[in-house]
Amino acid sequence: MPRPILATVHTAALRHNLQRLREAAPGARLWAVVKADAYGHGIERAFEGLRGADGFALLDLAEAERVRALGWRGPILLLEGVFEPRDLELCSRLNLWHAVHCDEQIDWLAMHKTHQPHRVFLKMNSGMNRLGFSPERYRAAYARLAALPQVEEISLITHFADADGDRGVAEQWAVFERTTQGLPGERSVCNSAAVLRYGQDGALRGDWVRPGIATYGSSPDYPAHTAEQWGLRPTMTLSARLLAVNTVAAGGRIGYGGAFTAEQPTRVGVVACGYADGYPRVAPTGTPVLVNGVRTRTLGRVSMDMLAVDLDPVPDAVLGSEVTLWGVAANGATLSIDEVAHAAGTVGYELMTALARRVPVVVQD
């Protein structure tokens, strides 16, 4: 039999989360963000759960080709735009919309020969300080684009740096609103946290929202809010089985470096999951895990192919018992990926996208 580890993609949960996000931003059209291979879920596996979106947003031209190959004929947006002039040829052929964030991308458009004018999203750096034109240069960039016969329509876009935190969006939103006043074009500003926290504001939510991590059942502002509090459902489950059950005597140490020492005789399960599967090596003792749907904890260091769990809270656990590293157990119990990520000092995004190729994946509605 194959090694007992499995990732499950839940398409019904994807549909549910899309609907929840629509409710949070009534009247706005919604991008399904599928960058990083649909946040590790796989574009082809996630597509059925996401096809109710109004468009797909991503980074990679190859991913755009995959979405078109699945039969999608609606909008596809390249969130970082094109990376070299010849990319515009594929944009024309596949009818891709694309961001414009620098002068060079405008230059490439000006030189591009096309019979089909492009829909572009002009990006403003309103405070994130990654990509985009400064507010002082934004209107001039807009004017350059508007003068090009290669450009059919210009939309306006920015990205919030602190929508999930105490600083919020007010400062960046004021910059964006002031700079774009009077400019025609649809607006897109809201990421996951902005949709959930501010999406009821009709002006701020704009014409298009682009929630990423929330679509995949992870809270964008954990631990301030859990996914459950936001009404989101897990879209990925990582599960495995117990390879062994041992009793470690008091004083016995577990794993590399003996990072955990048993204070009393302890039943320990060895799980068929390690950092080569995408589970975080830095997850400390105490990281939550479910065994037979019962909450318990990891013990000691995570190895390449195995990790240890405390079976004292799960007296019925035996060789082959189910272990849920995150997601939904067979009995319906749920362990949020955010909780696991938080224990490991990271975020749910990283765990999803780090799922290793060697882990088999199935799709379940």
Side-chain angles (χ1 to χ4, degrees):
M1 64 174 288
R3 181 166 170 263
I5 185 169
L6 182 70
T8 303
V9 172
H10 306 287
T11 53
L14 287 165
R15 285 191 291 270
H16 167 87
N17 294 342
L18 279 185
Q19 181 57 35
R20 170 69 187 93
L21 291 159
R22 284 195 186 281
E23 293 167 358
R29 280 168 289 173
L30 186 146
W31 294 107
V33 181
V34 293
K35 62 181 181 177
D37 201 16
Y39 285 56
H41 291 64
I43 288 173
E44 288 77 11
R45 291 187 288 263
F47 181 72
E48 285 302 317
L50 298 176
R51 66 187 309 163
D54 299 293
F56 284 82
L58 39 75
L59 302 184
D60 192 277
L61 284 164
E63 290 183 333
E65 289 181 299
R66 289 163 61 189
V67 174
R68 285 286 186 239
L70 289 166
W72 180 256
R73 296 293 174 258
I76 296 178
L77 173 64
L78 298 176
L79 289 165
E80 293 179 0
V82 298
F83 302 108
E84 58 181 3
R86 64 179 180 179
D87 292 345
L88 291 168
E89 298 171 12
L90 193 60
C91 289
S92 294
R93 179 154 56 85
L94 295 180
N95 190 24
L96 305 180
W97 301 357
H98 49 99
V100 172
H101 62 77
C102 63
D103 289 312
E104 289 81 359
Q105 289 176 329
I106 301 178
D107 295 339
W108 299 340
L109 269 167
M111 296 183 292
H112 178 55
K113 294 180 173 58
T114 179
H115 298 293
Q116 179 180 343
H118 289 224
R119 170 80 175 267
V120 299
F121 280 64
L122 181 61
K123 186 157 192 174
M124 181 190 300
N125 173 16
S126 60
M128 184 73 155
N129 289 317
R130 294 191 314 191
L131 301 178
F133 290 90
S134 68
E136 295 75 22
R137 299 189 60 239
Y138 191 78
R139 296 182 78 96
Y142 186 102
R144 280 194 69 198
L145 285 171
L148 294 180
Q150 293 89 341
V151 174
E152 179 180 46
E153 186 173 347
I154 305 170
S155 297
L156 316 176
I157 188 170
T158 195
H159 193 68
F160 292 132
D162 296 297
D164 58 342
D166 293 337
R167 291 182 62 185
V169 303
E171 183 178 343
Q172 282 188 258
W173 171 243
V175 170
F176 181 81
E177 191 175 35
R178 180 174 63 250
T179 305
T180 61
Q181 186 173 10
L183 289 180
E186 294 185 332
R187 269 76 168 160
S188 177
V189 299
C190 284
N191 56 10
S192 287
V195 169
L196 292 169
R197 298 179 73 177
Y198 309 107
Q200 297 296 317
D201 182 333
L204 192 149
R205 71 172 172 260
D207 303 285
W208 288 89
V209 295
R210 48 182 201 279
I213 195 62
T215 304
Y216 300 95
S218 177
S219 171
D221 63 350
Y222 186 89
H225 296 90
T226 66
E228 185 177 16
Q229 286 172 327
W230 284 127
L232 305 171
R233 296 178 185 171
T235 61
M236 176 192 287
T237 294
L238 180 63
S239 60
R241 298 280 173 184
L242 292 180
L243 297 174
V245 176
N246 306 311
T247 298
V248 175
R253 297 186 300 169
I254 295 173
Y256 285 114
F260 174 81
T261 301
E263 295 181 356
Q264 59 191 24
T266 302
R267 288 184 80 232
V268 176
V270 179
V271 184
C273 180
Y275 61 77
D277 301 299
Y279 195 85
R281 182 183 179 275
V282 295
T285 290
T287 299
V289 64
L290 305 179
V291 178
N292 288 344
V294 176
R295 188 183 181 92
T296 183
R297 59 177 181 153
T298 62
L299 300 174
R301 290 185 187 169
V302 176
S303 301
M304 178 180 285
D305 310 306
M306 291 174 280
L307 58 85
V309 295
D310 185 355
L311 295 183
D312 282 351
V314 199
D316 63 340
V318 295
L319 179 71
S321 287
E322 176 201 51
V323 181
T324 306
L325 288 312
W326 62 71
V328 185
N331 69 352
T334 298
L335 175 60
S336 167
I337 196 170
D338 298 317
E339 206 176 343
V340 179
H342 188 70
T346 185
V347 290
Y349 307 67
E350 184 173 5
L351 300 193
M352 291 178 188
T353 58
L355 185 71
R357 291 180 61 186
R358 75 175 188 172
V359 177
V361 184
V362 297
V363 177
Q364 182 183 85
D365 197 27

